[in-house]
Amino acid sequence: MTPEGGTMTDAAAERRPTILEVAHLAGVSHQTVSRYFRDNASLKPDTRTRVDAAVRELAYRPNLVARSMRTRQTGRLAVIVPKLTYSPARLLAGASAEAHAAGYSLDILSIDGGAEARAERVADLADSRQVDGIVCFAPLQPMPGRGDGASTVGGTTILVSADFDDEMRGITGLADASPVVELIDGLAAAGHTRFLHVTGSLAFASARARRRTFLDALAERGLEASVVEGDWSAESGIAAIEAMPETGRPTAVIAGNDVIAAGVIRAAVRRGWRVPDDLSVTGWDNHALGAYLLPSLTTVDVDLEQLGASAMTRLIAALRGEDAAPAATALARVIWRESTGGAPLGA
């Protein structure tokens, strides 16, 4: 019996496996296993596969405290986001997966205020040496940079991927409205000539960019355009359709997001209009429920997981002194589904 009342067998079962046991199972040296957690990209693929299998089989976790004392590295990374007005779950899932795959644990911090306030808090965190690296998904005041786009404060590597503003609203690549052109061209090819755009809140750069792209694309093509300002809610989609005339109305609606599009479809059905026979509808965001609407919703998928993973990959490369692939620029793609079709006859 152990002093706690358990058996020796229980105690052995709860004992953490050692790096030597991982090395023995994988058929490599313990130095190779250590390198696997420190820089597994330098290992041969076959060696990396064997070590990975041994780590998984033994459920091995590196002793981060011992490693920190030996290497002055914590094995921890941090992600900074502005105040959580909107859920960053998909973004953080991508960043987390990349960090864990590289052997790091991940801290997630939400910091209120503007770029200057965030910069002060990030600098304090960097000086504390509690983490090896930091990814910030909102702007910081200018910091001394390096050729790889990262900066170093207090020995901690910081990478800014300024994809959101202070209110967690998408900017830079997330404000790319180019899929609107693909939606318009696809619908125009199906015979549509009169279009309506129900916007999201124009406080968002992404909503302003989609409205501008919508109007410019239709003007270039000589097609009819109308715009109703919405607020990302289903109610704004309902109100836009309730206000449409019976005759000479638009036959294709490009909604600012999938929630607005759901409101558009509901109001259209109430008016006796069939989707897509009488009215084609598109959304944006690829909400999980969109594929299960009747009809399923044509939408734009924004790969937030890739955005998070790309930023984390660049941070880890900077920590290791490696070259990283440039950040992904094409984050959005159109998914055509049943809610879009040909223009009604005589429209």
Side-chain angles (χ1 to χ4, degrees):
M1 299 287 289
T2 66
E4 291 78 17
T7 67
M8 292 299 293
T9 302
D10 293 335
E14 293 173 0
R15 180 180 63 81
R16 288 176 59 160
T18 68
I19 194 170
L20 293 176
E21 290 170 328
V22 175
H24 177 75
L25 182 59
V28 299
S29 68
H30 72 275
Q31 292 95 335
T32 298
V33 177
S34 179
R35 197 160 86 233
Y36 168 86
F37 286 104
R38 189 174 65 253
D39 182 16
N40 64 22
S42 67
L43 298 177
K44 294 179 180 178
D46 178 64
T47 301
R48 190 164 58 242
T49 299
R50 297 205 317 271
V51 176
D52 185 62
V55 167
R56 292 177 183 275
E57 181 174 336
L58 295 174
Y60 174 76
R61 291 179 291 113
N63 188 326
L64 297 179
V65 174
R67 184 170 75 179
S68 176
M69 293 175 64
R70 183 175 66 253
T71 66
R72 296 194 155 199
Q73 294 180 336
T74 66
R76 295 168 59 198
L77 303 175
V79 164
I80 306 296
V81 292
K83 66 181 182 181
L84 299 182
T85 309
Y86 301 94
S87 172
R90 292 178 56 196
L91 175 85
L92 297 178
S96 177
E98 287 298 313
H100 294 161
Y104 290 94
S105 61
L106 190 65
D107 297 340
I108 298 168
L109 304 173
S110 173
I111 297 178
D112 255 347
E116 185 174 351
R118 273 191 302 276
E120 290 177 1
R121 293 285 302 279
V122 168
D124 288 343
L125 177 61
D127 285 335
S128 74
R129 297 305 306 273
Q130 296 180 54
V131 295
D132 298 331
I134 301 169
V135 171
C136 188
F137 283 106
L140 300 178
Q141 69 177 15
M143 290 182 134
R146 304 192 324 215
D148 53 17
S151 60
T152 302
V153 174
T156 301
T157 301
I158 300 170
L159 185 135
V160 179
S161 182
D163 303 294
F164 298 90
D165 68 10
D166 299 341
E167 303 293 327
M168 200 66 192
R169 298 176 295 203
I171 54 178
T172 63
L174 293 178
D176 175 29
S178 57
V180 169
V181 177
E182 184 178 344
L183 291 171
I184 288 170
D185 284 342
L187 290 163
H192 293 274
T193 60
R194 297 194 298 274
F195 291 76
L196 168 68
H197 178 40
V198 186
T199 76
S201 168
L202 295 178
F204 286 67
S206 55
R208 296 192 299 274
R210 290 172 208 169
R211 179 184 63 174
R212 182 172 59 252
T213 301
F214 173 83
L215 292 171
D216 289 348
L218 289 170
E220 289 171 4
R221 289 156 180 76
L223 301 174
E224 186 177 326
S226 54
V227 174
V228 171
E229 184 175 344
D231 58 7
W232 304 119
S233 70
E235 289 77 9
S236 62
I238 290 171
I241 297 305
E242 288 179 343
M244 284 173 61
E246 280 290 342
T247 59
R249 59 179 174 80
T251 61
V253 177
I254 295 179
N257 69 357
D258 292 346
V259 177
I260 295 174
V264 167
I265 291 173
R266 181 173 179 83
V269 170
R270 283 178 178 170
R271 294 193 65 168
W273 300 342
R274 298 165 299 167
V275 177
D277 295 342
D278 300 315
L279 186 70
S280 285
V281 181
T282 74
W284 195 291
D285 285 337
N286 194 22
H287 190 289
L289 291 177
Y292 301 99
L293 293 176
L294 288 174
S296 59
L297 182 63
T298 291
T299 188
V300 175
D301 179 59
V302 181
D303 195 345
L304 293 174
E305 290 86 355
Q306 175 58 37
L307 181 67
S310 174
M312 187 57 66
T313 297
R314 286 181 285 138
L315 174 65
I316 293 169
L319 282 167
R320 294 174 173 173
E322 301 171 350
D323 293 330
T329 54
L331 294 171
R333 64 188 179 97
V334 173
I335 301 176
W336 294 99
R337 295 194 181 120
E338 298 166 344
S339 66
T340 49
L345 294 176

